Amino acid sequence: MSYYVVQGGQTLRGSVPISGAKNSVLPILAATLLNGGRNVLHNCPDLRDVRSAIQILEHLGCKVSREGDTVTVDSTVVDRWDVPHELMREMRSSVIFLGPILARCGRARLSLPGGCDIGQRPIDLHLSALRKLGAVIREQGGDILCEASDLQGRDIILSFPSVGATENTLLTATACGGVTRIINAAREPEITDLQEFLRKAGALVLGGGESAITVSGSTPRRDVEHTILPDRIEAATFLCAAAACGGEVTLTGAEPEHVGTVIQCLRDAGCTVRSAGRTITLLAPKRLGSMPTVRTMPYPGFPTDSQAPLMAAACTAQGSALFIETIFENRFRHAAELQRMGADIRISGRTALVTGRQLHGARVRSTDLRGGAALVVAALAAQGESRVEALTHIDRGYEHFAEKLIALGASIRRVDD
Ligand code: UD1
């Protein structure tokens, strides 16, 4: 089992490069199935989830290679249409392959990803949208079997702006005859990045980043070269770490606009934040002050993925902060671990009231990807030594996490037993 040993209390100073966005590269890797050609993707982080997505592409018949942060996918040959159970289990978001496999092969077989540590994560919105586009879907022994001989575009109204359902619908719609309109679509920057990729491949897509996306069916056939957008959740995590530890940190290769809500909370808590082009500099006060209520919302609201790291910072502040989690029903599991470090957090349903105080080192366990990152943020700000266990979660979404923190002056060491 791998764990970090963190010696808390060091101020963070210096600059850190932000990697490409995990949540952007995953749907784009799935989308490379569509064009039956060569796709060159720059700024691809080397993460466990990205490796899982590459394994799925290889299983389906694609040829994939990596050189530095550039991943090349040749999807000329796709001779399978199933995603095996082991790969589905490895990464729940592999359901994003459903739409592209269906669009490319006319059929798909995936096992159901099952529940998750942050909530149930159903895929009913994905399935009902695909059914409306003409897919015939059966569930059999834990597998979903999809067939589509005649996909037809039409209006798809999502009852919630689900990121994954928007992406799956958008990807399937490229193979539909006629026009598909996705109404109440998710507006996350990762959707805009996917649209950009699809347009380069020759798809006719408009409206990415807005609530209505229009896809005029025309199979994307062009080779693509594309650079993945910066990871706004990784950027927010480093901002929270800098805010909690004090000091001055500059993020390079980041997109300030995409972390606007997180920056606002940190400014309210006393940080000075300046941005220019693709850099963001945060100067932390000696101790953070209180922040206004943090309510997670679909983009452009406060991201649910940044709730845990910001809560870790709030645990060290002078004053209190109220967190309301509206997206996932079980996303406060890190709170019990933060309490082991002395955090004062009171939870009632989807609300957590945090009263800041000095944290102390403790042995804690990552509960999920962002919850794990939050424990590292708290351990960095705590007095004394902490051990953060179950790094498999953190490895899914943070590239060179410890190395980047060490470059900022943190005392953190990885142990792989
Ligand atoms: C994506 C992100 C994840 C982020 C989340 C919300 C990726 C790979 N993951 O996940 O990091 O936390 O967006 O910003 O991009 N829902 C349904 N039925 C469905 C689909 C979703 O009820 O068919 C519900 C979910 O249970 C959840 C809410 O909708 O309560 C939001 O989920 P969704 O936006 O779909 O998140 P993901 O795409 O899974």
Side-chain angles (χ1 to χ4, degrees), residues 66-205:
R66 176 188 272 278
E67 218 179 299
D69 71 357
T70 298
V71 170
T72 303
V73 182
D74 184 337
S75 62
T76 309
V77 177
V78 171
D79 49 14
R80 297 191 69 118
W81 51 87
D82 65 308
V83 179
H85 184 62
E86 310 78 71
L87 292 174
M88 285 301 291
R89 258 178 44 154
E90 203 34 48
M91 179 180 67
R92 281 170 221 285
S93 45
S94 40
V95 71
I96 198 60
F97 278 88
L98 181 57
I101 297 177
L102 193 64
R104 174 78 191 263
C105 307
R107 54 186 158 172
R109 180 184 195 124
L110 270 70
S111 69
L112 280 167
C116 169
D117 34 17
I118 59 170
Q120 280 302 310
R121 302 192 99 165
I123 55 166
D124 55 315
L125 299 176
H126 302 235
L127 299 185
S128 95
L130 268 49
R131 281 193 171 109
K132 287 205 181 97
L133 295 176
V136 177
I137 305 179
R138 283 180 296 131
E139 290 182 29
Q140 195 180 70
D143 281 355
I144 337 172
L145 305 172
C146 285
E147 274 182 46
S149 49
D150 184 25
L151 291 172
Q152 277 305 323
R154 52 180 295 181
D155 281 2
I156 304 293
I157 303 171
L158 296 177
S159 57
F160 181 86
S162 152
V163 176
T166 302
E167 292 166 345
N168 245 332
T169 310
L170 170 54
L171 290 162
T172 309
T174 60
C176 290
V179 176
T180 303
R181 275 200 315 155
I182 309 172
I183 296 155
N184 198 26
R187 294 152 68 194
E188 269 68 2
E190 293 76 20
I191 305 277
T192 315
D193 206 24
L194 178 60
Q195 165 175 289
E196 182 94 3
F197 171 88
L198 290 171
R199 286 167 69 145
K200 286 180 185 167
L204 301 172
V205 191

Side-chain angles (χ1 to χ4, degrees), residues 323-330 332 347-352:
F323 288 79
I324 305 173
E325 173 58 56
T326 76
I327 309 291
F328 291 106
E329 69 275 17
N330 191 16
F332 285 144
I347 293 182
S348 166
R350 290 185 172 221
T351 302

Side-chain angles (χ1 to χ4, degrees), residues 273-312:
V273 186
R274 293 184 303 268
S275 57
R278 285 207 152 180
T279 66
I280 307 173
T281 299
L282 180 140
L283 176 63
K286 257 201 159 51
R287 192 167 170 202
L288 286 177
S290 51
M291 34 185 108
T293 299
V294 177
R295 184 189 299 268
T296 64
M297 296 289 278
Y299 192 85
F302 187 93
T304 173
D305 286 349
S306 297
Q307 175 255 108
L310 186 67
M311 185 184 289

Side-chain angles (χ1 to χ4, degrees), residues 60 237 251 321 334 336:
L60 296 170
T237 305
L251 314 185
H334 48 278

